[in-house]
């Protein structure tokens, strides 16, 4: 038999290697931006079409390349940034592998135009799927323009794997934000489909954060600055009261490179101690400068992970620096987290329901007066007559439809014991309730999440939800990426009771909110909801509407640890059993455990 092993042609090897470096348009954006930064550019312009699927174009005013280098730049392992293995210990550039352009050229149609500042003519190289189509002199501006068309045109599997334009555009914006935050001294712009998304002049880090995340972010920042022999740390952390329910604006830069590091993140969170509301995450924008010899950045193909030779010291310094910053700005005394309260609503003199929920939650459901009556399930309509919260009433009455009972016959409200006096709270977390043939242990948070989720889904299908009009309409400003998402979701947000319309760059005017949004917290509520929404859409595939219902519901569902009154517990149990899928949270986690009489009897068998 003859030999069977052969070396793969370069184009195939490049395509395989590209899979590691370029997973989506945003990875190409990251590589191109970093090359422009390494070239010493002071102005970098990015143009994106169809979320980078059809076109990415980046122009810089950096050092440019010679004709030969322009061609060489597409070879694998071709780099001007290191010469030997020793150089790996002193890297200050973003690139060093010499793989990015070779990878991009293997899976796209690429045109590179470049000229060094002292040269009279420049060069154009056209390369498609690793094959050079043309390479010739050309007149062009000093610096480099690189155009990447039809990414993954020759890797259909990868192309099909790409997510919707919104998701891919968001990844691009995230990469862009990271590089822009790493280098505030460079001017950056981003255009998508002909529209300006960012125009960022050279600035300080604070100005850059404000330019990216909206003017509201200015007041939320606490400066961090510390210098030791090992490292220097500079930047900002967010005030604890602005902490988000999901990880959002968390940025670490090491020698100007964005890195993801759970250990460092822990150091920051730890510095906040008990200042953070439960289940929330602080924002931070922290730059660390240290001797490159003390870090290894070559441990991950996309260079977003690092290894420190003395990680314990780095951890301690980061933690101390953040703690010091929070202390210096006397964050602690100004904190005003609401103490634990009963979930019971308070009725104001005007009769409207006030918000009882504590820190981290913006809205509470407004439970109606629960009338103590025998035979409650059969008299639901009567029981809930005259309540103020129309939508709540609707959720009760709808639950009685025959179709719902058919979907889940064994879970409908008939399960509840006729008269249900036996209901109590366990560990401020669970509700124990007697049901017809045993008992139910209900997780209060998951149950509330399920109830609200179904309510919001219904609301979005129902066209005539009325928002509670604000006395004074207010303008809310968001980051560009959030603005884009909110714009797409406007019709559904409207149905949830957020009456808002576009109002200039990155802003909306808010005319009305759902009745249970606390005044003054509107922006925060919407931001938290969108954070959650973004988190969901990058993890699981679901419709925008479902995602929004989940995000809104999760955002405002009561936390565990909340003391509940008998009345509220009853309402929650009733409402849960009225849901079409009462036994699971929208994420599929159990909301309740049933223990049947037989099981109990079995356990007590002599
Ligand atoms: N915008 C640019 N301006 C000037 N030179 C550039 C530019 N982009 C790329 N180059 C040159 O092309 C070379 C190859 O770029 P490429 O991104 O493939 O590798 P790298 O940046 O050296 O390493 P890495 O793969 O880690 O990014 C660079 O080393 C640099 O010399
Ligand atoms: Mg590079």
């Amino acid at each position: 038999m003859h030999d069977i092993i052969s070396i793969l042609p370069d184009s195939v090897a490049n395509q395989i290697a590209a899979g590691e470096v370029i997973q989506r348009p945003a990875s190409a954006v990251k590589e191109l931006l970093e090359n422009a930064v390494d070239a010493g550019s002071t102005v970098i312009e990015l143009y994106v079409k169809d979320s980078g699927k059809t076109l990415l174009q980046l122009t810089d005013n950096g050092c440019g390349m010679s004709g030969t280098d322009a061609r060489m730049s597409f070879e694998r392992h071709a780099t001007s940034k290191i010469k030997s293995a020793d150089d790996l210990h002193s890297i200050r550039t973003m690139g060093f592998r010499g793989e990015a352009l070779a990878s991009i050229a293997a899976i796209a149609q690429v045109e590179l135009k470049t000229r060094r500042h002292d040269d009279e003519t420049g060069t154009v190289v056209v390369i498609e799927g690793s094959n050079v189509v043309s390479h010739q002199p050309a007149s062009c501006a000093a610096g480099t323009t690189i155009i990447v068309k039809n990414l993954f045109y020759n890797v259909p599997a990868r192309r099909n794997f790409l997510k919707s334009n919104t998701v891919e555009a968001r990844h691009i914006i995230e990469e862009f934000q990271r590089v822009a935050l790493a280098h505030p001294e460079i001017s950056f712009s981003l255009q998508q489909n002909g529209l300006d998304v960012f125009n960022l002049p050279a600035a300080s880090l604070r100005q850059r954060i404000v330019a990216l995340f909206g003017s509201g972010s200015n007041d939320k920042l606490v400066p961090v600055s510390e210098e030791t022999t090992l490292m220097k740390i500079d930047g900002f952390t967010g005030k604890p009261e602005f902490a988000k329910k999901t990880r959002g604006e968390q940025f670490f830069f090491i020698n100007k490179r964005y890195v993801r590091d759970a250990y460092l993140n822990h150091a920051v969170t730890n510095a906040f101690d008990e200042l953070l509301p439960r289940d929330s995450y602080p924002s931070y924008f922290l730059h660390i400068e240290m001797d490159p010899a003390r870090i290894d950045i070559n441990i991950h193909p996309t260079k977003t992970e690092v290894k420190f030779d003395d990680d314990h010291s780095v951890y301690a310094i980061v933690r101390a620096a953040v703690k010091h910053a929070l202390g210096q700005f006397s964050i602690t005394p100004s904190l005003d987290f609401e103490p634990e309260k009963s979930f019971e609503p308070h009725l104001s003199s005007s009769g409207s329901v006030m918000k009882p929920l504590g820190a981290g939650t913006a809205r509470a459901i407004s439970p109606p007066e629960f009338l103590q009556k025998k035979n409650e399930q059969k008299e639901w309509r009567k029981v809930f007559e005259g309540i103020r919260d129309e939508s709540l009433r609707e959720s009760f009455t709808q639950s009685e439809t025959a179709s719902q009972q058919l979907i889940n016959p064994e879970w409908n409200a008939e399960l509840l014991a006729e008269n249900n006096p036996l209901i109590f709270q366990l560990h401020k977390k669970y509700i124990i309730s007697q049901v017809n043939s045993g008992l139910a242990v209900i997780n209060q948070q998951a149950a509330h999440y399920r109830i609200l989720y179904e309510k919001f889904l219904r609301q979005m299908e129902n066209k005539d939800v009325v928002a509670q009009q604000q006395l004074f309409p207010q303008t809310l400003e968001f980051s560009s990426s959030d603005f884009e998402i909110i714009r797409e979701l406007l019709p559904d947000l409207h149905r949830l009771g957020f009456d808002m319309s576009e109002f200039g760059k990155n802003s909306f005017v808010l005319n009305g909110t759902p009745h249970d949004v606390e005044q003054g917290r509107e922006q925060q509520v919407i931001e938290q909801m969108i954070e959650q929404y973004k988190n969901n859409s990058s993890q699981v595939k679901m419709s925008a509407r479902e995602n929004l219902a989940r995000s809104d519901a999760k955002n405002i569902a009561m936390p565990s640890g909340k003391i509940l009154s008998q009345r509220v517990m009853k309402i929650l149990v009733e409402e849960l059993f009225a849901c079409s899928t009462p036994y699971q949270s929208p994420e599929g986690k159990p909301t309740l455990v049933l223990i049947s009489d037989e099981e109990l009897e079995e356990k007590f068998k002599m």
Side-chain angles (χ1 to χ4, degrees), residues 31 35 38 81 95 100:
E31 296 299 336
N35 279 348
D38 284 345
K81 298 171 192 174

Side-chain angles (χ1 to χ4, degrees), residues 19-212:
E20 290 250 296
V21 184
I22 311 293
Q23 288 105 24
R24 52 177 11 128
S27 347
V29 164
K30 170 181 188 278
E31 296 299 336
L32 298 180
L33 285 169
E34 290 189 347
N35 279 348
V37 168
D38 284 345
S41 313
T42 56
V43 180
I44 298 176
E45 292 166 356
L46 174 63
Y47 180 75
V48 173
K49 219 169 136 182
D50 293 334
S51 312
K53 292 174 186 169
T54 24
L55 180 79
L56 290 171
Q57 176 175 325
L58 191 127
T59 299
D60 67 51
N61 65 350
C63 62
M65 286 177 259
S66 71
T68 317
D69 283 350
R71 169 66 192 84
M72 272 296 280
S73 68
F74 291 105
E75 291 297 325
R76 260 180 88 202
H77 313 305
T79 179
S80 58
K81 298 171 192 174
I82 57 170
K83 298 252 178 288
S84 68
D86 280 349
D87 296 341
L88 277 172
H89 306 300
S90 53
I91 289 171
R92 291 226 166 247
T93 49
M94 300 297 111
F96 57 84
R97 307 155 307 179
E99 288 202 335
L101 289 187
S103 298
I104 295 172
I107 49 165
Q109 297 153 340
V110 180
E111 182 181 314
L112 171 75
K113 273 192 220 162
T114 186
R115 177 166 76 81
R116 292 183 296 191
H117 289 251
D118 293 339
D119 292 347
E120 279 190 5
T121 48
T123 309
V124 181
V125 180
V126 178
I127 180 163
E128 290 181 8
S130 299
N131 298 314
V132 178
V133 177
S134 72
H135 175 199
Q136 48 196 310
S139 67
C140 55
T144 302
T145 292
I146 180 155
I147 301 174
V148 178
K149 288 188 200 152
N150 303 321
L151 205 63
F152 301 121
Y153 80 105
N154 53 354
V155 199
R158 247 320 144 95
R159 209 178 160 84
N160 294 339
F161 184 71
L162 292 179
K163 297 251 169 81
S164 72
N165 274 355
T166 324
V167 174
E168 295 301 337
R170 208 182 62 244
H171 283 292
I172 290 179
I173 288 178
E174 280 170 6
E175 291 295 355
F176 179 90
Q177 284 176 337
R178 288 169 188 164
V179 181
L181 284 168
H183 303 275
E185 73 288 354
I186 299 176
S187 153
F188 288 92
S189 68
L190 168 61
Q191 267 203 356
Q192 291 217 60
N193 300 325
L195 294 173
D196 280 338
V197 181
F198 291 112
N199 248 320
L200 311 171
S204 67
L205 178 60
R206 184 188 274 273
Q207 290 164 330
R208 179 64 42 105
I209 295 170
V210 170
L212 285 169

Side-chain angles (χ1 to χ4, degrees), residues 208-309:
R208 179 64 42 105
I209 295 170
V210 170
L212 285 169
F213 299 106
S215 52
S217 49
N218 195 23
D219 298 335
K220 302 179 188 171
L221 302 175
V222 178
V224 177
S225 178
E226 216 73 58
E227 190 165 357
T228 69
T229 44
L230 176 65
M231 61 187 251
K232 191 165 168 271
I233 173 166
D234 269 307
F236 298 92
T237 176
K239 292 181 183 165
E241 57 266 45
F242 296 107
K244 301 201 163 184
K245 279 235 161 174
T246 53
R247 294 169 197 279
E249 289 143 20
Q250 300 192 325
F251 299 90
F252 258 115
F253 302 95
I254 297 181
N255 294 343
K256 301 221 157 242
R257 179 192 308 283
Y258 168 81
V259 295
R260 242 186 289 267
D261 192 307
Y263 192 57
L264 287 188
N265 176 63
H266 190 269
V268 177
T269 316
N270 198 288
F272 274 79
D273 274 346
E274 71 282 2
L275 291 179
L276 282 178
R278 269 177 80 110
D279 297 330
S280 59
Y281 304 92
S283 306
Y284 54 80
F285 309 84
L286 295 171
H287 278 263
I288 291 176
E289 284 289 326
M290 65 194 301
D291 181 353
R294 311 206 61 164
I295 30 182
D296 187 355
I297 46 172
N298 199 18
I299 57 168
H300 192 264
T302 57
K303 299 176 283 195
T304 44
E305 285 171 27
V306 288
K307 208 166 156 2
F308 300 99
D309 70 347

Side-chain angles (χ1 to χ4, degrees), residues 32 116 161 248 395 458 474 599:
L32 298 180
R116 292 183 296 191
F161 184 71
S395 79
R458 272 198 305 277
Q474 47 172 320
E599 278 174 80

